[in-house]
Amino acid sequence: MILDGRTSFAQNASLNTGAPGAYVIGDVIDTGRANGVGPGLPLFIVIVVKASATSGGAATLALRLVSSTTGTINPATATAHGESPTFALAALVAGREVWTFAFPPCTSNRWWSLVQVTGGAAFTGGAITAVVTTDPTAWRAYAAART
């Protein structure tokens, strides 16, 4: 399967470096449907650390899959569909796949995003990639084609 930027939440997206809290990270995916993700093949999100996370303290990271009826995602009011475990700073190293999560079956929300939940201390660096795939065991990243 070939996926493009429209089917990914984040491509080497920098972690938010604000104070501990909840922030939208990467892009918002518009399903183009008022009734959200419809029936069909199961879909999964695979999240990989692209640049090791750094912090001046003991930052922690959790990631939450959310949806909304509007394109402006508010982390405080968006509908949560799942949350990763909380990862300590030492676990957020480049190349590590940190979370694979199955999209829930049909929901009523059109817009989807990931929320970064920072705890402990602010991040000073780090990046993730989060893609949508039908087969999380066979998913691979390849360099972008440039012409």
Side-chain angles (χ1 to χ4, degrees):
M1 172 186 345
I2 296 174
L3 301 173
D4 65 18
R6 295 184 188 269
T7 54
S8 68
F9 286 102
Q11 292 183 0
N12 203 25
S14 296
L15 293 176
N16 187 295
T17 57
Y23 305 93
V24 170
I25 184 169
D27 297 321
V28 174
I29 291 180
D30 179 356
T31 65
R33 299 167 44 113
N35 59 348
V37 179
L41 291 173
L43 295 175
F44 300 86
I45 301 170
V46 177
I47 301 172
V48 177
V49 177
K50 295 303 282 184
S52 295
T54 57
S55 172
T60 62
L61 173 70
L63 296 160
R64 184 180 302 143
L65 176 65
V66 300
S67 66
S68 178
T69 57
T70 68
T72 303
I73 304 280
N74 178 337
T77 60
T79 302
H81 299 280
E83 187 166 320
S84 74
T86 299
F87 299 99
L89 184 64
L92 300 171
V93 295
R96 180 171 181 206
E97 186 177 307
V98 292
W99 191 40
T100 299
F101 184 75
F103 266 89
C106 302
T107 70
S108 60
N109 293 332
R110 176 175 172 168
W111 287 274
W112 292 75
S113 188
L114 282 177
V115 170
Q116 168 188 329
V117 181
T118 302
F123 286 100
T124 56
I128 65 165
T129 289
V131 298
V132 177
T133 181
T134 58
D135 186 352
T137 61
W139 175 86
R140 300 289 180 269
Y142 296 97
R146 305 283 182 221
T147 57

